[in-house]
Amino acid sequence: MVTVRRIRRLLKTWGRANFVDYPWRTEPNLWLGLATEVLLQRTRATQVVPAFEILRDRFPAPGAVADAPFTAIQDLFTPLGLRWRARYFHDMGRHLDALGVIPANEAALLAVPAVGPYAAAAFRSLHLRRRAVIVDANIVRWLGRVFGFTTDGETRRKPWLIALADRLTPSIGVREYNYALLDLTMTVCGARPRCADCPLSGAGCAHARGVASGSVDHPVLVARRAR
């Protein structure tokens, strides 16, 4: 049976054995941590690795971004296919340079240009080790598979979905849990899930049960969750 406690335990155990050691995950510079989480929004982590190296070498502080020509910021985003984000990133550097500190408060983070709910939650949990709930497209898809409900582009904004993700997120060991969740949904439970490699395949995952029975359709009364 799938339970909150069991999901947490299985994810953390899997995460310790399968941790992906990207360079920003051990970077103590909080500016680089926040900036990288902005780069990672809707972008594959493998694509961000070279951008992170440029960021660390050329823009190690918000002031370096604030003082840089706008074309230099565009050069950072162009290989990611996100050239349009360069303006927001430039504004982010100026904002934080004027502020003089990388904020830890959620509201203050969300006031920073280019920082949305995902980047703020990722930064707080992964770099500040504070409890924050991460919800991205991969995690929404994973939740739908585990609990057996269909998802679409708007599911991530539903209060009941956010409440479900919140219930699963622990207060202790949140960094470990969130990294495991990000890695699992990026590698094993991706667009083409590898159920045989998933720690939840034998723990009550609805999708895994469907694969085993020959039918992956496990409708759940979503309205019941929404109450």
Side-chain angles (χ1 to χ4, degrees):
M1 178 180 179
V2 63
T3 64
V4 169
R5 182 174 296 180
R6 193 174 187 192
I7 289 174
R8 291 174 179 173
R9 177 174 56 80
L10 291 173
L11 270 178
K12 287 182 179 182
T13 299
W14 182 90
R16 285 191 290 270
N18 296 275
F19 181 77
V20 183
D21 192 17
Y22 291 113
W24 53 83
R25 291 188 170 183
T26 54
E27 173 58 59
N29 184 321
L30 293 181
W31 150 252
L32 293 179
L34 178 59
T36 303
E37 297 305 336
V38 169
L39 294 178
L40 284 166
Q41 294 177 97
R42 300 182 183 180
T43 309
R44 292 182 179 275
T46 52
Q47 292 179 277
V48 174
V49 173
F52 174 78
E53 301 296 345
I54 295 173
L55 185 68
R56 185 168 56 186
D57 293 342
R58 297 179 57 187
F59 307 108
V65 174
D67 295 339
F70 180 60
T71 54
I73 308 302
Q74 286 182 314
D75 290 343
L76 177 67
F77 280 88
T78 298
L80 302 176
L82 301 170
R83 191 179 178 88
W84 59 273
R85 279 196 203 165
R87 173 60 64 192
Y88 298 104
F89 196 77
H90 209 196
D91 291 342
M92 173 185 176
R94 291 173 174 172
H95 180 96
L96 291 174
D97 185 47
L99 193 62
V101 66
I102 308 298
N105 176 271
E106 181 182 16
L109 281 169
L110 291 174
V112 177
V115 178
Y118 171 82
F123 174 69
R124 294 182 73 241
S125 68
L126 304 176
H127 301 273
L128 299 180
R129 301 174 185 266
R130 300 190 180 191
R131 187 182 185 279
V133 180
I134 294 180
V135 177
D136 66 7
N138 288 349
I139 292 172
V140 170
R141 181 179 58 207
W142 172 78
L143 287 169
R145 286 173 178 164
V146 171
F147 293 98
F149 56 82
T150 57
T151 64
D152 58 31
E154 293 301 310
T155 305
R156 64 187 297 175
R157 299 179 178 86
K158 302 295 185 182
W160 62 263
L161 186 284
I162 297 171
L164 176 59
D166 181 78
R167 184 182 176 194
L168 290 171
T169 304
S171 297
I172 299 174
V174 64
R175 182 177 186 268
E176 183 182 25
Y177 171 86
N178 277 342
Y179 268 140
L181 184 55
L182 289 171
D183 289 344
L184 182 81
T185 57
M186 179 176 55
T187 58
V188 173
C189 196
R192 296 181 178 180
R194 307 196 322 260
C195 295
D197 300 323
C198 181
L200 299 181
S201 60
C205 172
H207 184 85
R209 292 200 311 270
V211 170
S213 66
S215 173
V216 295
D217 291 323
H218 290 274
V220 168
L221 294 178
V222 174
R224 184 179 299 172
R225 297 184 184 280
R227 290 175 186 169

